[in-house]
Amino acid sequence: MNYWLMKSEPDVFGIEHLKAMPKKTEHWDGVRNYQARNMMRDDMKRGDQVFFYHSNCDEPGIVGIMEVVREGYPDHTAHDPESKYYDPKSDPDNPRWYMVDVKYKRTLKRVITLNELKTYKSLEDCPLVRKGNRLSIMPLTKKQWDFILSLETRKAKA
DNA sequence: GCCAACGTTGGC
DNA sequence: GCCAACGTTGGC
């Protein structure tokens, strides 16, 4: 099993949106970055665990957990001229962009903020805390996953 | 294939 | 709203 972190802006699609979806499941569309695309297309497997991260908001951080329920398949929004994710260069017969389906599992007891994550030595290799990192999907090691999860019931660090 | 210009992400 | 970082595009 693999572990991941996926970013989304809570104003656009936050964890509450996912929770409110039918079957608490939604496709993760709109990713237009090749590195992230490759991970969704090739590496994310059903049952993989994913942290839901809120970006571009008052308190950026990890807010919950979801699970991959459908493996990579073409992102249809790339071929919809009405969509803001429309990409005229993607050929429907040879789709350029992929997505996965994720299902809401639970909301963490507290938000583990980026600010806090940055203070831990054991996470210094995680792309998330590196300056200028813009990857919206990133893999986590089991160690990193377990460590972050252990923070949930710990008191927030200043 | 280089690289400048441009666009986007996302923290602050 | 600013701007640093970085990906993408396109001229050459």
Side-chain angles (χ1 to χ4, degrees):
Chain A
M1 187 198 305
N2 296 312
Y3 300 91
W4 307 91
L5 179 145
M6 292 166 107
K7 297 181 186 175
S8 184
E9 300 186 22
D11 293 344
V12 180
F13 188 81
I15 193 161
E16 290 307 317
H17 295 98
L18 180 63
K19 192 179 176 181
M21 296 303 293
K23 294 200 214 162
K24 299 182 179 181
T25 299
E26 179 62 307
H27 45 263
W28 202 266
D29 60 13
V31 172
R32 297 291 177 267
N33 168 285
Y34 287 104
Q35 244 181 300
R37 187 278 311 267
N38 292 347
M39 290 187 266
M40 289 203 291
R41 190 190 56 190
D42 306 330
D43 299 328
M44 296 184 85
K45 299 298 173 196
R46 208 162 346 126
D48 283 0
Q49 303 296 110
V50 187
F51 280 132
F52 197 128
Y53 177 93
H54 280 174
S55 67
N56 219 347
C57 55
D58 285 348
E59 203 175 43
I62 294 169
V63 294
I65 297 175
M66 48 194 176
E67 180 176 323
V68 177
V69 292
R70 182 175 172 187
E71 297 175 9
Y73 63 107
D75 180 346
H76 55 82
T77 62
H79 309 123
D80 174 9
E82 299 295 306
S83 169
K84 70 168 180 167
Y85 301 124
Y86 179 56
D87 179 2
K89 280 180 275 193
S90 179
D91 174 1
D93 292 328
N94 183 20
R96 177 179 294 195
W97 304 114
Y98 280 71
M99 59 189 180
V100 297
D101 286 357
V102 287
K103 179 170 185 170
Y104 171 90
K105 285 191 74 180
R106 68 184 185 88
T107 301
L108 295 186
K109 295 185 183 72
R110 65 181 185 92
V111 177
I112 304 172
T113 64
L114 175 63
N115 224 4
E116 179 183 350
L117 292 170
K118 279 178 176 168
T119 66
Y120 299 111
K121 193 130 202 338
S122 32
L123 294 176
E124 66 185 2
D125 290 332
C126 181
L128 182 66
V129 302
R130 295 231 198 90
K131 199 179 172 188
N133 162 67
R134 290 164 50 195
L135 252 195
S136 62
I137 300 176
M138 66 190 76
L140 296 175
T141 65
K142 177 159 181 13
K143 244 182 186 167
Q144 291 167 339
W145 174 277
D146 289 342
F147 177 76
I148 293 170
L149 210 48
S150 78
L151 298 174
E152 181 185 13
T153 49
R154 242 197 258 179
K155 204 171 174 208
K157 211 163 145 179

